[in-house]
Amino acid sequence: MPPTPSQLNAQRCREFVSTLHTTPYTAIDPSQVKLPSPFVVCIIGGRGAAGGGLARAYARAGTSGLVLAARNRSALEETANEIRSINPATKVIVAECDITSSDAVEALAHTTKAEFDGHLDVVVVNAGYTGPITDVVEESPSDFQTAFNVNTVGAFHAAHFLLPLLLQTESGARSFVAISSMAVPIVTGFAAHSHYCASKAAQARLVELINEQYASRGVFCASVHPGGLRSELSKDVPKAFLHFLCDSPDLVGAFAVWLTKTGGSRQKEVLNGRFLSCKWDVTELETRFDEILEKDLLRLRVAVD
């Protein structure tokens, strides 16, 4: 049976460029980046596989301040200690935060503002939730609701309370990144379960809306697929598919640094508001910049012929 248009589109998205990476490489090596000072990053979901990779990358790039937020404070302390060993000059703040709670995210914004004198360059929303992989009849309503509360409403909370700090930081990176998933463009296959795919697609649309509303004020935003990672979110993946989870958590961290570092790079103009994969080779991605703008690629759309 030939692949459906949806399957073909998902395949094209995964392989948007011909070279796909599993580990950091020279073009995005964060240790070769010198971030300005001050440079403050807030990572919501600053633990686990992707959270640790993100934190390590910004520390290696010389970020002066790092806010690590999640519900589990003890796990955050482990990440914080690792960051202090990588870069003792980085001021690390650990904050308990449930991204589904508007009060908790508002408190996180107040903490960030107080600890760094209102300076904030980058927000990375890495909190995520997925339940068992089933169909719409078998999956529980609570999993569906929780997925939207964490993946979509949580991203809104982060934007609502932290975008003002990005906007107030003059000459800052003003970057808002949502750690997304290749589940966004798929509707078939083992990973196509409704609560995760639908909530991540809604999150990606929210990022597009942020772009439309705030790009004119200097805000850069993107949805970033973090690769296939062994993490808490992968606990329900069938064993037959675990071999696909082979990417280094440090890859998404390095890609995020490349994406959000300050400077006059054209990448922010072209990639603002779009869906990206950290696995894509950035040199090859740059060769498609004109095409991305001309065809308005890497966005959600309803095809009308």
Side-chain angles (χ1 to χ4, degrees), residues 33-36 39 121 171-175 218 220 257-269:
V33 174
K34 185 174 177 57
L35 294 174
F39 194 96
D121 290 271
S171 302
R174 290 185 175 174
S175 296
F220 172 80
V257 170
W258 172 82
L259 195 60
T260 62
K261 62 185 179 182
T262 54
S265 175
R266 191 177 177 224
Q267 67 204 40
K268 288 191 175 181
E269 171 198 352

Side-chain angles (χ1 to χ4, degrees), residues 28 32 45 51 53 57 92 102 114 135 149 183-184 196-197 214 218 222 227 261 296:
I28 60 170
Q32 300 304 307
V92 184
S102 61
D135 62 30
N149 287 345
V184 168
Y196 189 65
C197 294
Y214 287 96
K261 62 185 179 182
D296 198 21

